């Protein structure tokens, strides 16, 4: 199902453009997770199922997606966890909380600069006590953590490591990393990205690309650029794709690109800071849908969201329009806001999506 906005309210359509869940909520999440989607009524969040039935009444100040049967929710200024009937199973006590992954969830106690992060199990018991300046969700048995803090005076003393589920240091990460996918993790060394295996050995050296994306459907987005000290932005941006041997299979030629999804990648040509046109290529680098959109995201279930001439649309893989509206769903407005913020400085955020 795909979010739409009609007369200021949000609901969902199917892949044919037929309204399945009547627009009636102030905001809905882009995806269903474990059969439920979070929805907002007024300033409170709850959850619905795929028929539109409210399963958990809007009552929370913030809400996350369900994962492994639990979802993080915000009550007042602190976070706890609920199950799929809305029962609180881990009492609110954390200053931030992530979704469960591989049986554990990263949680934080304290503020961003001085607080510490650790990991809890589904009973709320600490398996790894809060001790890290940053902690990322577990993936393939390992999680990236930061030793140190985000305090300005500690900026040169941060160390990033991968740990196992016992809290044992496994291998050095060199930098923040989302984690391992298919046995590889992206890490940054100096001003370049590379990929390490589970031993910490560089499989793709950090000497060629300023930023990289995780492998999706066998290919990774890679990007080169030059940093400008004049306006603190990046110049001469070139983006393409490599395979798992590090071989360039689609020439670096785009201003930006998203990872492949359902055989296609969304790419942008021309302009900077969100200016330019988006289209879709196949794995040979051939345009399947020519660059024409002001904004676009990857295909999911054969449908992609795009913006053209101030109109929000969903299109199929032929480029045919299945939904057209002057009203933008809230998730798109949020993504555009985030994208423009990050893309102004041309960070690697976008290619990881």
């Amino acid at each position: 199902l795909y979010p739409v906005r009609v007369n200021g309210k949000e609901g969902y359509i199917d892949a044919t453009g037929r309204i399945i869940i009547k627009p009636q909520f102030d905001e809905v999440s882009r995806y269903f997770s474990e059969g439920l989607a979070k929805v907002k009524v007024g300033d409170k969040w709850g959850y619905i199922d795929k028929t539109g039935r409210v399963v958990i009444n809007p009552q929370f100040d913030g809400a996350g997606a369900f994962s492994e049967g639990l979802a993080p929710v915000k009550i007042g200024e602190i976070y706890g966890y609920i199950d799929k009937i809305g029962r609180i199973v881990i009492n609110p006590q954390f200053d931030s909380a992530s979704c469960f992954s591989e049986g554990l969830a990263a949680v934080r106690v304290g503020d961003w600069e001085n607080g510490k992060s650790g990991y809890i199990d589904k009973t709320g018991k600490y398996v790894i006590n809060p001790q890290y300046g940053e902690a990322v969700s577990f993936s393939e048995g390992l999680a990236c953590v930061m030793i140190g803090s985000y305090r300005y005076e500690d900026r040169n003393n941060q160390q990033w490591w991968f740990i196992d589920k016992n809290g044992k240091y496994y291998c050095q990460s060199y930098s923040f990393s989302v984690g391992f996918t298919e046995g590889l993790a992206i890490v940054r060394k100096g001003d370049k990205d590379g990929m390490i295996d589970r031993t910490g050995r560089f499989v793709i050296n950090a000497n060629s690309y300023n930023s990289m994306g995780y492998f999706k459907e066998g290919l990774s987005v890679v990007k080169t650029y030059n940093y400008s000290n004049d306006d603190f932005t990046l110049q001469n941006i070139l983006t393409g794709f490599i395979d798992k041997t590090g071989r360039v299979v689609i020439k670096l030629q785009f201003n930006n690109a998203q990872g492949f999804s359902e055989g296609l990648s969304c790419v942008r040509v021309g302009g900077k800071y969100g200016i330019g046109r988006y289209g879709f290529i196949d794995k040979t680098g051939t345009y399947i849908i020519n660059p024409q959109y002001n904004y676009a995201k990857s295909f999911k279930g054969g449908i992609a969201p795009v913006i053209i001439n101030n109109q929000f649309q969903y299109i199929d893989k032929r480029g045919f329009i299945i939904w057209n509206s002057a009203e933008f769903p809230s998730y798109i407005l949020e993504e555009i806001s985030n994208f423009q913020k990050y893309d102004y400085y041309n960070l690697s955020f976008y290619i990881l999506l």
Side-chain angles (χ1 to χ4, degrees):
L1 298 180
Y2 307 91
V4 294
R5 190 172 185 87
V6 179
N7 296 324
K9 297 295 182 180
E10 298 192 359
Y12 291 89
I13 62 171
D14 65 13
T16 70
R18 182 168 62 98
I19 291 177
I20 300 300
I21 298 176
K22 177 184 175 182
Q24 58 191 288
F25 307 104
D26 294 306
E27 189 173 337
V28 301
S29 57
R30 183 178 183 185
Y31 299 116
F32 281 80
S33 179
E34 298 187 355
L36 299 179
K38 61 180 184 178
V39 297
K40 191 176 187 181
V41 177
D43 60 354
K44 299 296 183 182
W45 290 90
Y47 295 84
I48 62 172
D49 64 19
K50 290 187 176 182
T51 70
R53 180 176 67 91
V54 175
V55 176
I56 301 172
N57 288 325
Q59 59 191 285
F60 305 109
D61 298 299
F66 274 93
S67 176
E68 301 183 5
L70 300 180
V73 294
K74 186 178 183 183
I75 300 176
E77 296 299 322
I78 54 177
Y79 290 83
Y81 290 83
I82 61 171
D83 62 17
K84 288 187 175 181
I85 62 173
R87 181 181 57 183
I88 294 176
V89 294
I90 299 175
N91 287 328
Q93 58 192 286
F94 311 109
D95 291 288
S96 67
S98 65
C99 295
F100 273 89
S101 176
E102 300 184 1
L104 300 179
V107 296
R108 189 173 187 84
V109 179
D111 63 23
W112 187 248
E113 285 191 348
N114 301 299
K116 295 296 182 183
S117 296
Y119 296 88
I120 60 171
D121 64 18
K122 291 183 181 180
T123 70
K125 176 185 175 183
Y126 278 109
V127 175
I128 301 174
N129 288 326
Q131 57 192 287
Y132 308 112
E134 176 69 287
V136 182
S137 296
F138 273 90
S139 175
E140 298 185 5
L142 299 176
C144 183
V145 298
M146 187 253 280
I147 313 301
S149 77
Y150 280 113
R151 290 191 298 267
Y152 180 79
E153 59 268 26
D154 292 343
R155 67 192 184 282
N156 295 321
N157 298 318
Q158 297 172 354
Q159 295 183 41
W160 295 89
W161 287 80
F162 283 102
I163 61 170
D164 64 19
K165 291 184 179 180
N166 296 313
K168 179 181 177 182
Y169 292 109
Y170 193 86
C171 65
Q172 190 172 1
S173 174
Y174 302 100
S175 67
F176 169 85
S177 176
V178 175
F180 280 89
T181 300
E182 298 181 14
L184 298 176
I186 299 171
V187 298
R188 191 165 187 83
K189 199 171 184 181
D191 64 347
K192 298 288 194 297
D193 278 0
M195 288 192 183
I196 60 172
D197 62 18
R198 291 173 63 87
T199 70
R201 179 180 65 90
F202 275 96
V203 175
I204 298 176
N205 289 323
N207 56 16
S208 298
Y209 305 112
N210 297 101
S211 62
M212 304 180 72
Y214 278 91
F215 281 99
K216 294 184 177 181
E217 300 184 4
L219 298 179
S220 166
V221 183
V222 294
K223 179 185 290 188
T224 62
Y225 52 71
N226 297 319
Y227 182 74
S228 170
N229 289 314
D230 294 330
D231 57 3
F232 307 107
T233 60
L234 308 179
Q235 311 294 328
N236 304 317
I237 303 167
L238 293 172
T239 307
F241 294 83
I242 62 172
D243 63 18
K244 288 188 176 181
T245 70
R247 180 176 64 93
V248 175
V249 294
I250 298 177
K251 178 184 175 182
L252 278 69
Q253 59 190 289
F254 310 108
N255 185 264
N256 217 333
Q258 298 172 36
F260 273 90
S261 175
E262 300 180 4
L264 299 179
S265 168
C266 179
V267 299
R268 189 180 82 207
V269 292
K272 296 187 298 184
Y273 320 138
I275 302 170
R277 290 294 181 266
Y278 294 77
F280 295 86
I281 61 170
D282 64 17
K283 291 185 179 179
T284 71
T286 302
Y287 280 107
I288 302 302
I289 301 175
N290 288 328
Q292 58 193 284
Y293 304 108
N294 304 110
Y295 186 76
K297 294 300 296 284
S298 297
F299 277 94
K300 302 290 184 184
I303 302 299
V306 300
I307 296 171
I308 184 168
N309 298 328
N310 293 320
Q311 294 289 305
F312 172 76
Q313 300 175 348
Y314 284 113
I315 60 170
D316 64 18
K317 290 185 178 180
R318 299 166 297 176
F320 292 173
I321 300 168
I322 68 163
W323 180 268
N324 184 72
S325 174
E327 293 187 78
F328 293 15
S330 53
Y331 86 88
I332 281 288
L333 292 175
E334 183 178 358
E335 287 181 358
I336 292 172
S337 175
N338 287 335
F339 171 57
Q340 290 174 336
K341 176 175 63 178
Y342 283 98
D343 193 58
Y344 179 80
Y345 296 101
N346 282 281
L347 301 181
S348 59
F349 164 86
Y350 188 48
I351 68 173
L352 299 180
L353 298 181

